[in-house]
Amino acid sequence: MNKEREHWGSRWGFILAAMGSAVGLGNIWRFSYAMGEGGGSTFLIIYLLSVILIGFPVMMIEFAIGRRAQTDAIDAFKKLAPKSFWVIAGGMGVLAAFIILSFYGVIGGWSLKYIFSYLTGGVSGNTETYFTEFVGSTFEPIGWQFLFMGITVAIVMLGVQKGIETSSKWMMPILSILLIVLAGYSLTLGGAGEALTFMFHPDWSAFTDPSVYFAAVGQAFFTLSLGMGIMLTYGSYLSPNEKLTSSAAYIIILDTLFAIIAGLVVFPALFAFDLDPTQGAGLVFIVLPTIFEGISGIGLVVGVAFFILLALAALSSGISLLEVVVAYLIRRLGVSRKLATLGIGFIIFLVGVPSSLSQGAVSIEVFGDPFLDFMDKFSGSLLLPLGGLIVAIYGTWSWKSDELLEHTDLKGVAWAPAFLFFAKFVAPIAILIILVFGMLSW
């Protein structure tokens, strides 16, 4: 039975939803962590160039495929390139979204736990001990993971307009306000000068370090939710006459601003308290709570505001990941949105339980890594870049140049030849390097 496909209620609803997907945990803590290890402003310069020269072309191709096919990530390639191997890209996107959400829900649950902790008195004692005892327990992290997944399922179950679009319209403004307020406050703590120098004064010697390029290109690629079927799926809910260029530009600009402002939240506070910015996940759950404890009077308020920010960022990405899988199941099985969302949401929750337990409760390792770390590496180092590479090659080599420009609304545009060059050569080569480097490091 063919059902009429849902569409976005407005252009800005689509932009906010796609932006919500791009703005996630990676913007709030991973960007700052990667920037801390990558030489500060050196990393930022390479990241910005990567977003423009690589991220923009790949995003345009994903949007174009989705808008033209008007179906889910897997069926899009079956429809546009029947009986070909290109469908692998769609399958990898759906699988990646499934896997990422399974452990993303665990970390999202942690953020809800910390909101509750700050609302009921804050993180007491040693922050590292508090974190390790919490994630190392058996049942409590799973309970918070279940709550996070329940909220995600409830939003996606409401549909594209009533659920995803409506939630994005209120979540993104709240996210923006919280981020700007926290950045403004962080700049008053005494580390603003060092932070601004670190973020915006280039260390030219760092440009000779190849790892900075890998980190910056990888961050640009992954923060934009490319290669996981999200932008393709969201593009499929666009009407055929919707323009893509300005929408993609808005999403990339706003996502980048979020990342930079998040850096203005983290780095001034770290320098003010003389702490190390290269702490990974600990930056959020161990180092920043230490800072909040040191803020007299309003530490609890700042703490709860930050973790609300983190939870909303996780949720905005979580609903986009779930929608990729739900869209496929609705079409493939012919079931209702409610049944597809409830069923696959619960399965993803169950798959995420080993990730939660592997953080200390039970020793669950794959190739020497805790289960959560393995799932992260498998999706990030293999599925995403490989899926993104196939999408980029399909759009630039399966379609003729005139077709690509027509499908991306760039036919007759002055800078179309430059777009073709970067989409056809620079982006695939850069993604291939990220793929090889990721697999070697794994």
Side-chain angles (χ1 to χ4, degrees), residues 180-261:
I180 292 170
V181 169
L182 285 171
Y185 179 75
S186 184
L187 289 168
T188 68
L189 294 177
E194 291 177 272
L196 293 175
T197 299
F198 178 76
M199 291 182 68
F200 302 115
H201 189 274
D203 175 11
W204 301 109
S205 64
F207 281 100
T208 61
D209 184 0
S211 66
V212 178
Y213 292 85
F214 293 129
V217 174
Q219 176 68 15
F221 185 75
F222 299 131
T223 191
L224 295 175
S225 297
L226 302 175
M228 58 185 78
I230 291 174
M231 296 307 174
L232 193 158
T233 302
Y234 276 16
S236 73
Y237 297 129
L238 287 169
S239 61
N241 58 355
E242 189 71 54
K243 297 298 182 185
L244 300 181
T245 309
S246 57
S247 296
Y250 279 128
I251 293 163
I252 286 175
I253 290 169
L254 292 172
D255 176 71
T256 303
L257 283 175
F258 261 81
I260 293 173
I261 297 172

Side-chain angles (χ1 to χ4, degrees), residues 98-282:
F98 180 98
I99 290 175
I100 292 170
L101 184 54
S102 72
F103 65 81
Y104 213 85
V106 175
I107 302 172
W110 297 351
S111 65
L112 295 180
K113 158 67 176 179
Y114 270 68
I115 293 173
F116 177 77
S117 295
Y118 276 95
L119 286 174
T120 56
V123 175
S124 58
N126 184 285
T127 57
E128 183 172 2
T129 302
Y130 184 90
F131 176 69
T132 54
E133 286 183 352
F134 163 62
V135 300
S137 60
T138 302
F139 299 108
E140 188 181 7
I142 293 174
W144 289 107
Q145 174 201 355
F146 183 81
L147 178 60
F148 178 86
M149 285 301 302
I151 297 170
T152 305
V153 164
I155 292 173
V156 173
M157 197 162 56
L158 291 173
V160 173
Q161 287 189 30
K162 292 181 179 179
I164 300 172
E165 185 172 347
T166 300
S167 64
S168 298
K169 282 181 177 179
W170 65 261
M171 275 197 295
M172 297 319 295
I174 293 174
L175 263 171
S176 303
I177 293 169
L178 283 173
L179 197 64
I180 292 170
V181 169
L182 285 171
Y185 179 75
S186 184
L187 289 168
T188 68
L189 294 177
E194 291 177 272
L196 293 175
T197 299
F198 178 76
M199 291 182 68
F200 302 115
H201 189 274
D203 175 11
W204 301 109
S205 64
F207 281 100
T208 61
D209 184 0
S211 66
V212 178
Y213 292 85
F214 293 129
V217 174
Q219 176 68 15
F221 185 75
F222 299 131
T223 191
L224 295 175
S225 297
L226 302 175
M228 58 185 78
I230 291 174
M231 296 307 174
L232 193 158
T233 302
Y234 276 16
S236 73
Y237 297 129
L238 287 169
S239 61
N241 58 355
E242 189 71 54
K243 297 298 182 185
L244 300 181
T245 309
S246 57
S247 296
Y250 279 128
I251 293 163
I252 286 175
I253 290 169
L254 292 172
D255 176 71
T256 303
L257 283 175
F258 261 81
I260 293 173
I261 297 172
L264 293 175
V265 173
V266 173
F267 288 119
L270 290 174
F271 283 111
F273 286 81
D274 196 27
L275 296 171
D276 183 7
T278 62
Q279 293 289 320

Side-chain angles (χ1 to χ4, degrees), residues 23 39 41 70 73 78 84-85 156-157 159 179 227 288 291 303 314 322 345 350 366 388 390 400 409 435:
V23 174
S41 56
Q70 294 286 297
K78 289 183 177 180
S84 70
F85 70 91
V156 173
M157 197 162 56
L179 197 64
L288 290 183
I291 293 174
L322 182 56
L350 292 178
V366 182
I390 297 172
K400 295 179 180 178
D409 303 329
L435 174 64

Side-chain angles (χ1 to χ4, degrees), residues 43-59:
F43 173 91
L44 181 60
I45 291 170
I46 300 171
Y47 168 81
L48 292 174
L49 289 173
S50 301
V51 164
I52 297 168
L53 303 179
I54 300 170
F56 178 75
V58 176
M59 181 177 285

